[in-house]
């Protein structure tokens, strides 16, 4: 019987399922985890470029004071859609794609537990994304109320396209929940004999915990948008104070989803970096058990900190104190992780190939984002920071190095495994350094303009902020154009190039795709004797 990690066998596996389904239909009907993982990754990259193009419009408008390129209304649509597309279209599907590709191989499973549902959960995404983007072309324009879509702005004053936006969010949520159920079922039921929970690679662990977070919070988001729908069309007053509702209720519901969502976008990164740093330090990961517990602690704490986004809405002092201290507490397990990565690197035989460069940048820059988050957690200080560019700087320092850099690291690390070819290391290093410089040029100055009082989500600003905004825009254009180089590197790697070794990273332990025993016998492909 062919090994499940053999790329050729994945196509045999598909042929067996659908007969000779050729060309396009192979991709439409496939139940193969590798094909579906590939589709998720390509989809997320297309959405990354789409959301990135919107960011370019935002930075072009903010290049200098005064209104020069777009109308304020369209600027608001761009800020809203940029956030929604990056979160639901780029980062989350990319992580699900990596999970699809790697988890079955890491645990010695023949495929995902529910292959047909896997196919369905992917194919919902393009339709949801098209619906979301199509709102921009509808009468009255697309959503213009920020990616957090606070009521009553998103209910009483919303454009007619909001109904389609709500439906798109529902579909994206359904896809996420199905993907999460599949991942949990796969990890709990299809591990190779001898692979106990505490022997699983950390990427598998982080995704298991992430999947539980998804199942817990996506229905909360569904509830929020359903209540919006009722307020808009059916005369209810969930968020309308005139009818006995409360606009602040929306914020509580949204952030009860939104804060765990932030960790959904970061926990898989922790797993990726925990696979890459040991490989390029040529050492086992320091503190495996503490990493598992730290991940679980972060997931638990993420549910009890949501109102730190709401210090300025008038919550009681005791509430401010609780959410302040609970938020600071998250720094403890996060610090455990950072110290473990640093200790893994300490006195290791490190080499700095591109995956390691992105991972090291992840550790350093994510820590900066963590420190500014700690500043934001201080309730009395947050009254000054709230809704300024300081917040924008903070969450981009968490999400760009934290999610995007980790995804790049994973792609470079596993591309040889996926394609059988090595990518162009020189070009990849250029991609890293241009991304690194562009990212810091874009977001570091935002700390300063934020502390000086520049509010976020505005198309114009006072003259004293002009220089820093110019630097931010130049950095943004640099970062954005660099991603076209990444596209070139990946296509070049897929089309050919130097053949990859079985263990492409010389001296690396190869822990991430070896399992202690053969894959278990299962009943949903050809038995070994019927070839």
């Amino acid at each position: 019987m062919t090994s499940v990690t053999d790329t050729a066998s994945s196509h045999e596996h598909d042929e067996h399922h659908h007969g000779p389904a050729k060309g396009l239909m192979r991709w439409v009907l496939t139940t193969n985890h590798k094909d579906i993982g590939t589709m998720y990754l390509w989809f997320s990259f297309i959405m990354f470029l789409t959301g990135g193009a919107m960011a370019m419009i935002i930075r072009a408008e903010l290049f200098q004071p005064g209104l020069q390129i777009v109308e304020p209304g369209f600027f608001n649509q761009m800020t809203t859609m940029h956030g929604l597309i990056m979160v639901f279209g780029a980062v989350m599907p990319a992580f699900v794609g990596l999970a699809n590709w790697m988890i079955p191989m890491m645990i010695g499973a023949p495929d995902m537990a529910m292959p047909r549902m896997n196919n369905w959960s992917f194919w919902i995404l393009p339709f949801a994304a098209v619906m979301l983007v199509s709102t921009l072309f509808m009468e009255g324009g697309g959503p213009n109320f920020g990616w957090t879509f606070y009521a009553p702005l998103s209910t009483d004053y919303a454009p007619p396209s909001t109904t389609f936006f709500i439906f798109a969010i529902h579909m994206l949520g359904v896809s996420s929940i199905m993907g999460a159920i599949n991942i949990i079922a796969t990890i709990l039921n299809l591990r190779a004999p001898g692979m106990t929970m505490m022997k699983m690679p950390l990427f598998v662990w982080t995704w298991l915990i992430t999947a539980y977070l998804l199942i817990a919070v996506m229905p909360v988001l569904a509830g929020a948008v359903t209540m919006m729908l009722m307020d808009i069309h059916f005369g209810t007053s969930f968020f309308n104070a005139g009818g006995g509702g409360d606009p602040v209720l929306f914020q509580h519901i949204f952030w009860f989803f939104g804060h765990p969502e932030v960790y959904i976008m970061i926990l898989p990164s922790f797993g990726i970096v925990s696979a890459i740093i040991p490989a390029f330090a040529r050492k086992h990961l320091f503190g495996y058990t503490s990493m598992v517990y730290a991940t679980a602690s972060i997931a638990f704490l993420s549910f009890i900190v949501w109102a730190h986004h709401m210090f300025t809405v008038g919550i009681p002092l005791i509430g401010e104190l609780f959410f302040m201290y609970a938020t600071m507490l998250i720094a403890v397990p996060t610090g455990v992780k950072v110290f473990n990565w640093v200790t893994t690197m300490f006195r290791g035989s490190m080499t700095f190939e591109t995956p390691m460069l992105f991972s090291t940048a992840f550790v350093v820059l994510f820590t900066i984002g963590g420190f500014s988050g700690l500043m934001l957690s201080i309730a009395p200080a947050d009254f000054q920071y709230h809704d300024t560019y300081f917040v924008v700087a903070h969450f981009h320092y968490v999400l760009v190095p934290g999610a995007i850099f980790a995804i790049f690291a994973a792609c470079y690390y596993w591309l040889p495994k996926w394609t059988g070819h090595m990518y162009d290391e020189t070009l990849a290093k250029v991609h890293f350094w241009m991304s690194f410089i562009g990212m810091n040029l874009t977001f570091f100055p935002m700390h300063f303009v934020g502390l000086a009082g520049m509010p976020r989500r505005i198309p114009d600003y006072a003259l004293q902020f002009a220089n820093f905004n110019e630097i931010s825009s130049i950095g943004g254009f640099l970062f954005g154009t660099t991603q076209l180089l990444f596209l070139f590197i990946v296509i070049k790697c897929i089309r050919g190039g130097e053949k990859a070794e079985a263990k492409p990273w010389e001296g690396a332990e190869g822990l991430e795709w070896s399992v202690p025993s053969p894959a278990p016998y299962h009943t949903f492909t050809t038995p070994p004797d019927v070839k």
Side-chain angles (χ1 to χ4, degrees):
M1 188 177 179
T2 45
S3 154
V4 289
T5 55
D6 179 27
T7 310
S9 72
S10 65
H11 302 309
E12 282 171 29
H13 175 77
D14 245 11
E15 292 283 322
H16 173 72
H17 268 282
H18 322 296
K22 291 283 188 266
L24 182 66
M25 287 316 282
R26 169 189 150 196
W27 294 100
V28 174
L29 300 174
T30 181
T31 52
N32 180 324
H33 72 99
K34 297 174 184 177
D35 286 350
I36 293 170
T38 303
M39 292 195 296
Y40 265 111
L41 288 166
W42 277 112
F43 168 79
S44 79
F45 190 68
I46 291 164
M47 296 313 287
F48 178 57
L49 293 183
T50 308
M54 293 172 180
M56 296 301 97
I57 294 170
I58 294 166
R59 283 316 325 166
E61 179 57 62
L62 294 173
F63 189 77
Q64 59 186 45
L67 295 172
Q68 52 260 334
I69 297 174
V70 295
E71 294 297 312
F74 186 70
F75 182 88
N76 290 343
Q77 291 175 41
M78 288 295 98
T79 52
T80 303
M81 295 295 277
H82 164 72
L84 290 167
I85 285 172
M86 287 306 200
V87 170
F88 294 108
V91 173
M92 289 168 68
F95 282 138
V96 179
L98 293 169
N100 261 296
W101 247 106
M102 300 313 300
I103 287 174
M105 289 168 31
M106 286 177 165
I107 63 174
D111 203 299
M112 297 295 278
M114 292 171 259
R116 286 181 195 280
M117 189 164 88
N118 204 12
N119 172 289
W120 192 27
S121 69
F122 170 75
W123 279 111
I124 288 173
L125 282 180
F127 293 96
V130 167
M131 183 175 295
L132 188 60
V133 175
S134 71
T135 58
L136 290 170
F137 304 99
M138 294 178 188
E139 189 184 353
N144 57 358
F145 31 66
W147 82 272
T148 51
F149 43 98
Y150 279 5
L153 204 56
S154 58
T155 51
D156 297 352
Y157 306 100
S161 64
T162 305
T163 307
F164 294 91
F165 152 79
I166 289 170
F167 190 42
I169 293 289
H170 266 305
M171 295 212 295
L172 292 162
V174 167
S175 168
S176 291
I177 290 170
M178 291 202 301
I181 290 170
N182 213 343
I183 285 165
I184 291 171
T186 304
I187 295 170
L188 296 187
N189 296 320
L190 293 185
R191 296 194 307 282
M195 178 169 277
T196 59
M197 296 290 274
M198 295 308 280
K199 283 184 183 170
M200 299 193 307
L202 260 174
F203 180 69
V204 181
W205 257 116
T206 52
W207 243 115
L208 178 65
I209 291 165
T210 303
Y212 278 108
L213 280 182
L214 275 167
I215 289 173
V217 302
M218 292 317 278
V220 179
L221 179 68
V225 293
T226 304
M227 288 154 90
M228 277 172 61
L229 191 74
M230 304 295 276
D231 275 12
I232 293 168
H233 293 293
F234 299 106
T236 55
S237 296
F238 289 111
F239 308 128
N240 182 352
D246 185 357
V248 177
L249 172 66
F250 179 89
Q251 296 189 30
H252 278 293
I253 297 169
F254 180 85
W255 287 115
F256 192 77
F257 147 79
H259 200 81
E261 164 64 27
V262 175
Y263 288 93
I264 287 164
M265 292 190 286
I266 202 75
L267 290 182
S269 302
F270 293 165
I272 290 164
V273 170
S274 301
I276 294 174
I277 288 176
F280 291 96
R282 275 105 189 145
K283 281 171 68 184
H284 279 279
L285 181 73
F286 183 87
Y288 172 92
T289 311
S290 66
M291 288 292 245
V292 173
Y293 284 111
T295 309
S297 312
I298 290 169
F300 169 73
L301 289 169
S302 74
F303 281 102
I304 57 168
V305 296
W306 78 90
H308 68 209
H309 297 268
M310 300 167 55
F311 283 143
T312 58
V313 304
I315 54 178
L317 183 63
I318 185 72
E320 287 184 11
L321 285 169
F322 170 81
F323 286 107
M324 178 166 93
Y325 292 133
T327 304
M328 289 178 174
L329 201 57
I330 283 199
V332 177
T334 311
V336 167
K337 288 183 161 296
V338 172
F339 284 120
N340 281 350
W341 291 321
V342 172
T343 313
T344 305
M345 291 190 235
F346 182 64
R347 299 186 69 176
S349 308
M350 285 201 290
T351 52
F352 289 95
E353 287 87 352
T354 312
M356 186 61 165
L357 285 173
F358 273 111
S359 299
T360 316
F362 165 93
V363 175
V364 175
L365 299 177
F366 175 74
T367 304
I368 294 174
F371 281 132
S372 60
L374 206 53
M375 291 169 68
L376 288 161
S377 75
I378 303 165
D382 185 71
F383 279 81
Q384 301 300 317
Y385 307 138
H386 188 83
D387 263 340
T388 69
Y389 259 85
F390 188 83
V391 180
V392 181
H394 155 68
F395 72 72
H396 282 91
Y397 260 87
V398 173
L399 283 174
V400 179
I404 308 289
F405 277 22
I407 291 163
F408 286 148
C411 290
Y412 284 123
Y413 188 51
W414 286 318
L415 260 174
K417 189 72 187 164
W418 297 340
T419 63
H421 305 292
M422 286 304 288
Y423 60 84
D424 186 321
E425 186 67 54
T426 312
L427 284 180
K429 283 199 163 87
V430 171
H431 171 234
F432 166 75
W433 284 110
M434 285 171 68
S435 295
F436 180 81
I437 294 164
M439 183 262 151
N440 283 292
L441 270 182
T442 308
F443 300 113
F444 206 79
M446 290 182 186
H447 292 101
F448 305 132
V449 291
L451 292 176
M454 179 174 162
R456 61 196 276 201
R457 293 183 184 164
I458 46 155
D460 192 10
Y461 53 87
L463 194 60
Q464 67 262 33
F465 304 130
N467 290 358
F468 278 137
N469 271 291
E470 197 172 313
I471 295 167
S472 278
S473 288
I474 291 166
F477 300 143
L478 174 65
F479 184 85
T481 48
T482 303
Q483 306 324 315
L484 299 172
L485 175 63
F486 177 65
L487 178 64
F488 175 76
I489 294 166
V490 171
I491 291 172
K492 183 168 180 264
C493 179
I494 291 168
R495 290 177 63 108
E498 188 190 335
K499 197 168 181 337
E501 302 291 316
K503 286 186 181 176
W505 304 109
E506 185 61 41
E509 291 165 310
L511 294 172
E512 69 288 352
W513 37 68
S514 63
V515 288
S517 50
Y521 174 68
H522 49 83
T523 55
F524 48 83
T525 53
T526 329
D529 51 335
V530 195
K531 277 281 176 182

